[in-house]
Amino acid sequence: GEDVEQSLFLSVREGDSSVINCTYTDSSSTYLYWYKQEPGAGLQLLTYIFSNMDMKQDQRLTVLLNKKDKHLSLRIADTQTGDSAIYFCAERSSPANTGTASKLTFGTGTRLQVTL
Amino acid sequence: ETGVTQTPRHLVMGMTNKKSLKCEQHLGHNAMYWYKQSAKKPLELMFVYNFKEQTENNSVPSRFSPECPNSSHLFLHLHTLQPEDSALYLCASSHEQGPLHFGNGTRLTVT
């Protein structure tokens, strides 16, 4: 089955850039997502990229996709203490049929710790 | 305000109790999902409903029983749970093939 892997932990200093990496196995992935989870909350959609793109930028967030290596990264510029959270990568495979709901495969999440 | 509301936020129940988790979405989506989040494990998809019809049951034990009366509401009925069922239960919704929008979850503790 599909598999999504992330490193478990990343520590950065406030003001530095953070880069969170993700690898996936499903070559039929159509969309790839980044979600953020703060303590006591659900998953918040941060950004996503379609598989025919290799980069997407949204304010402080930059997503890079290397489809050949099945590697996705999320770069957070000027990391702030409010960015401390768990970040989940997820991929959506091409649906078997139209009219079906999304099926996402999630990684285990990367805990980002921002230090002063 | 996430657009997806889950109640209760916290629930403690004994193994012989019966309880229900509720999820409501105000986003006009047609698909709704239940996920289980346990410590140090990937999110586990439990059930998927699309236009009120169940389209996925991911080998979930029968002590978990979902109900979707309409596209805006989703329930998870619980009975005779085990301590290993303690987890964060997350509800999500989406347009058919769109990104998932999650609620804040119900933290369930089974004693």
Side-chain angles (χ1 to χ4, degrees):
Chain A
E2 300 88 358
D3 193 26
V4 177
E5 293 196 358
Q6 304 176 236
S7 54
L8 289 179
F9 185 77
L10 175 67
S11 181
V12 297
R13 286 195 170 190
E14 188 178 39
D16 287 351
S17 292
S18 309
V19 180
I20 303 171
N21 294 301
C22 170
T23 57
Y24 59 97
T25 57
D26 188 356
S27 56
S28 69
S29 292
T30 53
Y31 281 92
L32 295 119
Y33 303 89
W34 284 104
Y35 284 85
K36 175 184 181 184
Q37 186 178 33
E38 298 184 66
L43 275 68
Q44 173 197 352
L45 178 66
L46 280 181
T47 186
Y48 59 95
I49 188 167
F50 188 50
S51 58
N52 69 354
M53 299 169 64
D54 50 24
M55 186 182 96
K56 180 179 180 181
Q57 185 150 6
D58 184 359
Q59 299 182 334
R60 292 191 298 123
L61 305 179
T62 303
V63 179
L64 295 177
L65 174 61
N66 181 329
K67 198 172 179 183
K68 174 175 163 288
D69 294 339
K70 300 191 186 71
H71 182 267
L72 182 74
S73 67
L74 174 69
R75 178 177 180 270
I76 306 173
D78 187 25
T79 312
Q80 303 297 307
T81 53
D83 296 323
S84 294
I86 302 175
Y87 290 80
F88 291 89
C89 167
E91 64 91 16
R92 194 188 85 202
S93 302
S94 182
N97 302 298
T98 57
T100 57
S102 291
K103 277 190 65 177
L104 302 191
T105 302
F106 286 85
T108 49
T110 299
R111 181 178 296 277
L112 175 64
Q113 176 183 283
V114 182
T115 59
L116 297 174
Chain B
E1 180 60 52
T2 65
V4 179
T5 304
Q6 290 188 244
T7 54
R9 289 298 310 276
H10 301 272
L11 178 61
V12 179
M13 60 187 287
M15 289 191 284
T16 58
N17 290 161
K18 285 186 181 181
K19 296 284 183 185
S20 295
L21 310 186
K22 180 182 175 183
C23 177
E24 185 175 356
Q25 59 97 359
H26 313 278
L27 300 169
H29 292 159
N30 51 269
M32 296 189 78
Y33 311 75
W34 280 117
Y35 278 85
K36 177 183 178 182
Q37 186 178 31
S38 306
K40 296 193 172 68
K41 290 174 72 174
L43 265 72
E44 298 173 55
L45 177 63
M46 300 175 73
F47 301 104
V48 181
Y49 279 82
N50 195 25
F51 291 103
K52 302 188 301 177
E53 299 298 318
Q54 188 181 115
T55 58
E56 186 93 16
N57 176 339
N58 227 15
S59 304
V60 180
S62 59
R63 57 186 184 268
F64 294 91
S65 173
E67 179 191 358
C68 187
N70 55 61
S71 292
S72 300
H73 293 85
L74 184 65
F75 296 90
L76 188 63
H77 304 299
L78 317 170
H79 63 98
T80 59
L81 294 193
Q82 305 298 311
E84 61 264 28
D85 296 323
S86 298
L88 182 68
Y89 289 85
L90 292 164
C91 172
S93 69
S94 75
H95 286 300
E96 259 175 43
Q97 289 293 321
L100 270 60
H101 296 259
F102 285 85
N104 282 326
T106 295
R107 172 69 61 189
L108 174 67
T109 304
V110 181
T111 60

